[in-house]
C-alpha cells in the first residue's frame, strides 16, 4: 500500500513538473513574441532582455557545441569511451539545432513567431527539420549552389 501511495505522489510530482515546464516554455515564447513585436528602442525596457533572443540562442548553441567538441582529455567527467562519443554527438546535434533557430529568428522573426504560434497546447519553436529547410532556402539566394549543397550535406550528417 505504501508503494502505491509513493508511486501516486511521484506521478503527481511528474505531472506538476510537466506543467511547470510547459508554463516556462510558454512564457519564453511570449517573451520572444513581445520582443520582436516592440519598437527597437522599447525592447530591452519592456522585456528585460539585455540581448536579443537570437543572440541568446547563438550563445547557447556555441556553449552546447563546444561541450560536444571537447576531446576526452579535455572532458571534466569520466565517461566510458563509447558513451562519451555518443553523448558528444548528441550535444553537437542539439547545439546545431539551437544555432539554426538563432539564425532563423534573427533573419525572419515574423516567420519564426508564426511557427511558434502553430504549436498545439504549448509553444513549440520550429524543430531541426523546419529550421534546416528554411536555412537551405534562405542560403540559396546568398551562396553558390555548390556551397549550398555542402551545407545540406553537413546538416544531413548532423
Amino acid at each position: 500500500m505504501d508503494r502505491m501511495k509513493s508511486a501516486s505522489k511521484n506521478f503527481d510530482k511528474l505531472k506538476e513538473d510537466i506543467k511547470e515546464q510547459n508554463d516556462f516554455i510558454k512564457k519564453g515564447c511570449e517573451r520572444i513574441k513581445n520582443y520582436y513585436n516592440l519598437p527597437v528602442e522599447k525592447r530591452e525596457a519592456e522585456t528585460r532582455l539585455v540581448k536579443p533572443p537570437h543572440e541568446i540562442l547563438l550563445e547557447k548553441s556555441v556553449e552546447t557545441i563546444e561541450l560536444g567538441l571537447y576531446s576526452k582529455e579535455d572532458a571534466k567527467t569520466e565517461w566510458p569511451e563509447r558513451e562519451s562519443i555518443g553523448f558528444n554527438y548528441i550535444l553537437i546535434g542539439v547545439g546545431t539545432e539551437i544555432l539554426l533557430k538563432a539564425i532563423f529568428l534573427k533573419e525572419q522573426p515574423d516567420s519564426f513567431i508564426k511557427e511558434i504560434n502553430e504549436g498545439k497546447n504549448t509553444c513549440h519553436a520550429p524543430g531541426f527539420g523546419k529550421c534546416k529547410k528554411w536555412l537551405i532556402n534562405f542560403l540559396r539566394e546568398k551562396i553558390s549552389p555548390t556551397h549550398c549543397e555542402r551545407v545540406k550535406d553537413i546538416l544531413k550528417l548532423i
Side-chain angles (χ1 to χ4, degrees), residues 95-135:
T96 302
E97 180 174 348
I98 296 169
L99 176 61
L100 295 179
K101 289 177 184 187
I103 296 167
F104 188 174
L105 183 56
K106 178 186 186 297
E107 294 298 328
Q108 292 185 347
D110 292 340
S111 296
F112 189 91
I113 289 168
K114 183 177 180 264
E115 292 286 337
I116 287 175
N117 288 336
E118 290 177 3
K120 295 180 177 85
N121 296 329
T122 184
C123 293
H124 293 285
F128 185 85
K130 280 190 178 185
C131 289
K132 176 183 160 185
K133 183 179 177 182
W134 173 86
L135 181 67

Side-chain angles (χ1 to χ4, degrees), residues 5-155:
K5 285 182 184 178
S6 178
S8 179
K9 280 184 185 179
N10 289 338
F11 183 72
D12 291 343
K13 176 70 173 126
L14 179 61
K15 289 288 188 188
E16 219 175 277
D17 291 345
I18 291 169
K19 183 185 178 329
E20 185 178 315
Q21 185 66 25
N22 283 337
D23 290 345
F24 178 79
I25 292 168
K26 227 177 203 174
K27 285 178 187 172
C29 290
E30 289 304 315
R31 205 169 182 192
I32 289 170
K33 290 177 198 176
N34 291 340
Y35 183 91
Y36 289 101
N37 287 322
L38 287 169
V40 174
E41 65 277 0
K42 292 184 177 185
R43 289 178 175 175
E44 185 178 338
E46 293 198 25
T47 63
R48 296 187 321 261
L49 290 172
V50 178
K51 297 178 184 176
H54 64 268
E55 284 185 26
I56 296 168
L57 287 174
L58 176 64
E59 290 171 1
K60 292 296 179 195
S61 74
V62 169
E63 291 171 10
T64 307
I65 291 170
E66 282 180 344
L67 281 174
L69 293 176
Y70 278 133
S71 68
K72 187 175 180 181
E73 295 79 36
D74 295 334
K76 300 223 179 356
T77 56
E78 301 268 337
W79 292 91
E81 185 69 29
R82 194 172 57 176
E83 288 180 23
S84 175
I85 291 170
F87 187 68
N88 289 358
Y89 288 157
I90 290 168
L91 288 169
I92 292 167
V94 169
T96 302
E97 180 174 348
I98 296 169
L99 176 61
L100 295 179
K101 289 177 184 187
I103 296 167
F104 188 174
L105 183 56
K106 178 186 186 297
E107 294 298 328
Q108 292 185 347
D110 292 340
S111 296
F112 189 91
I113 289 168
K114 183 177 180 264
E115 292 286 337
I116 287 175
N117 288 336
E118 290 177 3
K120 295 180 177 85
N121 296 329
T122 184
C123 293
H124 293 285
F128 185 85
K130 280 190 178 185
C131 289
K132 176 183 160 185
K133 183 179 177 182
W134 173 86
L135 181 67
I136 297 303
N137 290 332
F138 177 77
L139 290 176
R140 279 199 174 106
E141 301 169 15
K142 305 202 178 298
I143 61 176
S144 73
T146 305
H147 287 111
C148 196
E149 281 303 310
R150 180 75 172 149
V151 171
K152 280 171 60 176
D153 288 343
I154 290 168
L155 291 174

